[in-house]
Amino acid sequence: MISKVWTRYYSINDWYKVYKEYQKFERRVVKVTHIYDYDEKSFTMEGIRGENLKDVILENRISFHQKQNILEQITHIFSNMFKFKSRECDLFWHDDLQLKNFIYTYDNDVKLIDPDSFIPIKFDNNSHYEFEIGKFTNTINNLHMSLLKWE
């Protein structure tokens, strides 16, 4: 198990209520097992056996087929954020979708980590109506570039 201190501005309890639903909906996110709502708020999550996806891609150690599979999994993870429905929010958005926040498991699966980067967004609340997709766009571009075959 891995522990992490909660540093977000919104309630860890409200976040965890949605995250528990989301981790059942999307199996490719790190599982959060417990929250601690004391003076120093924190949570524990599963340890994932694998390597940081950024390192795997930059070191170019995997096949073209494996890279295609990674790209497919990441686009599904992204798509599922829009498909997920909760009574607590309109969108449960991970605001730090970068290669460094994915683990490539030894079973050739992709897992999204940094669970506290998920933000419950309500579109009727002006303080949460914006969400950034630039990091995701850069991630897809980096994966696309890794698929190019250099002579």
Side-chain angles (χ1 to χ4, degrees):
M1 293 293 167
I2 298 169
S3 293
K4 189 172 181 183
V5 174
W6 181 261
T7 59
R8 293 298 190 142
Y9 60 89
Y10 42 87
S11 162
I12 190 171
N13 291 303
D14 293 347
W15 167 83
Y16 189 52
K17 185 175 183 180
V18 180
Y19 197 86
K20 283 191 296 188
E21 294 175 40
Y22 192 77
Q23 66 188 10
K24 291 176 186 174
F25 174 79
E26 173 55 78
R27 67 171 183 78
R28 293 167 294 201
V29 296
V30 63
K31 301 289 183 256
V32 173
T33 57
H34 195 77
I35 62 168
Y36 303 94
D37 191 12
Y38 306 116
D39 291 337
E40 181 176 77
K41 296 169 181 16
S42 64
F43 61 92
T44 56
M45 59 188 151
E46 69 176 328
I48 301 172
R49 294 182 40 127
E51 299 179 67
N52 186 280
L53 187 56
K54 180 179 179 181
D55 297 335
V56 171
I57 295 297
L58 290 177
E59 293 172 12
N60 202 23
R61 295 184 274 122
I62 57 176
S63 71
F64 181 80
H65 176 72
Q66 287 172 301
K67 290 176 186 175
Q68 284 180 311
N69 182 44
I70 289 168
L71 182 59
E72 182 180 335
Q73 287 188 60
I74 289 177
T75 55
H76 283 149
I77 291 168
F78 176 75
S79 175
N80 279 344
M81 282 187 246
F82 291 98
K83 292 177 184 175
F84 174 71
K85 302 298 179 217
S86 171
R87 285 187 268 174
E88 307 301 318
C89 60
D90 298 312
L91 177 64
F92 198 50
W93 179 254
H94 192 289
D95 73 349
D96 200 12
L97 287 169
Q98 301 181 66
L99 289 177
K100 70 178 186 172
N101 284 327
F102 290 93
I103 298 293
Y104 189 56
T105 70
Y106 296 131
D107 297 328
N108 299 320
D109 285 327
V110 173
K111 288 270 195 169
L112 179 57
I113 59 173
D114 198 24
D116 50 326
S117 286
F118 273 97
I119 302 173
I121 297 173
K122 291 187 177 186
F123 291 116
D124 61 348
N125 179 343
N126 289 335
S127 65
H128 294 117
Y129 74 94
E130 292 185 24
F131 59 97
E132 181 182 329
I133 63 168
K135 292 177 182 177
F136 173 74
T137 304
N138 288 339
T139 296
I140 295 301
N141 184 57
N142 289 336
L143 288 170
H144 173 260
M145 293 303 291
S146 78
L147 290 172
L148 296 176
K149 296 180 180 179
W150 300 98
E151 307 258 342

